[in-house]
Amino acid sequence: MRICERSSEVRAWTEAYRRSGLSVGLVPTLGALHAGHRALLDRARAECERVVASVYLNPTQFDSPEDLEKYPSAPEADAELCRDAGVDLLWLGRRDDLLPEGFQTWVEVERLTRRLCGATRPGHFRGVATVVTQLFEVVRPHRAYFGLKDYQQARAVARMAADLHFDLEVRCVPTVREADGLAASSRNRRLAPRERAAAAAIYRALEAARQRILAGERSAAAVVEHLRAELSREPLLGVEYAEVVDGATLEPFARGEIDLSGGGALVAVAVRAGAVRLIDNVLVES
Ligand code: AMP
């Protein structure tokens, strides 16, 4: 496995791959890699001849300096996991390369980023869209892999790739969960044992919401009320948002009536367990 830091080096290698007629897959990450990232890498490995993973703790997608500072980092374990997954090139992104002095150009995806995490984390998706544009431009992958745990991010990146005519396919990978249902996340390692135990309620509440909708409940407000009630049974969890939106537009359903005939219904939550912010979602389809 080759490890590069500079975008110029990465570009030279990925250009050589393409010139040799090899397909290139990109897996962008913030690092502190876990089973969720591994699923993206495995999918890329199965579908592409060369796999590039990027680890870059992108400051522009953090809305709070404290969250950025506390975000876990494990460079050696990350390299080990990438090696084990058969990554060809690991790009350890550097701030002075991707966010140099004088940087002032941004990419914004409008409607898809208005609600959910876009409403509660101002500037977050602008930071994501801009850095992903940079990664796409440097690596020029044939395929790029994103996890459905960050459903809104995956949808926004796919929209951006289409709108900006990036010559690549965005592939989405299902959420990897721990044994009790909690979505694997780098942030999980910051949970105290009691918070970790309480966090299992998140997926239970989402699944209950799914069952309610599948059983015929069509009132988004009623589903949200139950969802909030389930989550509030865990005193260690604080709800930042809990919503049921159209899975295609990420906007509320007309008249608040859930309609599964289009892109399904996305049940999405952001929850705080102590100082740790966790997000999760389920997409309910007919
Ligand atoms: P992150 O490092 O958290 O920005 O995640 C990098 C990529 O891995 C994103 O596309 C995430 O959606 C994806 N990812 C993170 N956690 C999971 C998970 N539990 N299951 C599937 N994909 C995930």
Side-chain angles (χ1 to χ4, degrees):
M1 183 176 76
R2 192 169 299 283
I3 299 183
C4 300
E5 293 194 352
R6 296 269 153 210
S7 52
S8 52
E9 269 179 277
V10 174
R11 190 190 291 276
W13 279 107
T14 55
E15 230 171 66
Y17 297 155
R18 273 200 317 281
R19 249 190 267 118
S20 316
L22 299 168
S23 60
V24 179
L26 171 66
V27 178
T29 81
L30 298 175
L33 304 184
H34 52 69
H37 300 112
R38 176 69 195 235
L40 270 58
L41 293 169
D42 288 347
R43 175 91 179 270
R45 185 67 280 168
E47 295 178 352
C48 306
E49 287 156 313
R50 291 290 180 269
V51 175
V52 178
S54 63
V55 168
Y56 175 54
L57 194 50
N58 172 33
T60 67
Q61 70 188 73
F62 284 81
D63 52 319
S64 125
E66 196 202 341
D67 190 25
L68 172 62
E69 201 178 294
K70 294 228 171 100
Y71 200 87
S73 150
E76 276 154 31
D78 288 352
E80 198 46 49
L81 187 146
C82 286
R83 215 172 266 120
D84 191 62
V87 167
D88 296 288
L89 193 161
L90 171 59
W91 178 8
L92 301 176
R94 289 175 57 121
R95 206 183 285 199
D96 58 0
D97 188 18
L98 290 162
L99 195 63
E101 195 61 36
F103 185 91
Q104 52 188 292
T105 305
W106 301 96
V107 179
E108 291 221 43
V109 180
E110 293 186 338
R111 290 189 300 283
L112 283 169
T113 67
R114 222 181 260 162
R115 304 184 64 86
L116 308 174
C117 289
T120 49
R121 301 183 77 192
H124 168 68
F125 285 114
R126 180 178 94 142
V128 170
T130 303
V131 81
V132 170
T133 297
Q134 291 178 300
L135 302 178
F136 283 178
E137 193 47 42
V138 171
V139 175
R140 303 224 179 159
H142 296 89
R143 301 182 194 99
Y145 295 83
F146 292 85
L148 289 173
K149 195 202 74 142
D150 301 277
Y151 187 91
Q152 190 175 20
Q153 168 176 280
R155 291 295 319 281
V157 166
R159 183 73 244 174
M160 176 191 89
D163 288 349
L164 299 183
H165 293 264
F166 282 113
D167 187 16
L168 55 84
E169 246 180 89
V170 171
R171 296 256 161 119
C172 294
V173 177
T175 302
V176 173
R177 300 184 177 281
E178 298 192 6
D180 62 1
L182 178 66
S185 165
S186 308
R187 295 172 191 272
N188 293 353
R189 47 186 99 173
R190 288 183 51 211
L191 295 170
R194 286 176 58 228
E195 294 165 349
R196 170 63 191 81
I202 300 171
Y203 186 58
R204 277 203 306 275
L206 288 171
E207 266 307 310
R210 184 212 295 280
Q211 292 313 327
R212 211 169 278 285
I213 296 169
L214 289 176
E217 178 61 79
R218 287 298 173 263
S219 159
V223 174
V224 166
E225 197 183 314
H226 280 105
L227 183 57
R228 283 186 171 275
E230 292 269 335
L231 291 167
S232 64
R233 279 165 45 185
E234 272 300 344
L236 292 181
L237 302 182
V239 178
E240 188 178 278
Y241 68 71
E243 293 196 44
V244 180
V245 294
D246 183 316
T249 61
L250 305 190
E251 296 281 343
F253 286 103
R255 297 174 304 282
E257 238 173 76
I258 296 171
D259 174 4
L260 298 182
S261 65
L266 182 78
V267 187
V269 298
V271 164
R272 283 189 189 275
V276 182
R277 183 178 181 277
L278 301 171
I279 59 168
D280 200 354
N281 68 79
V282 294
L283 181 67
V284 188
E285 292 170 298
S286 53

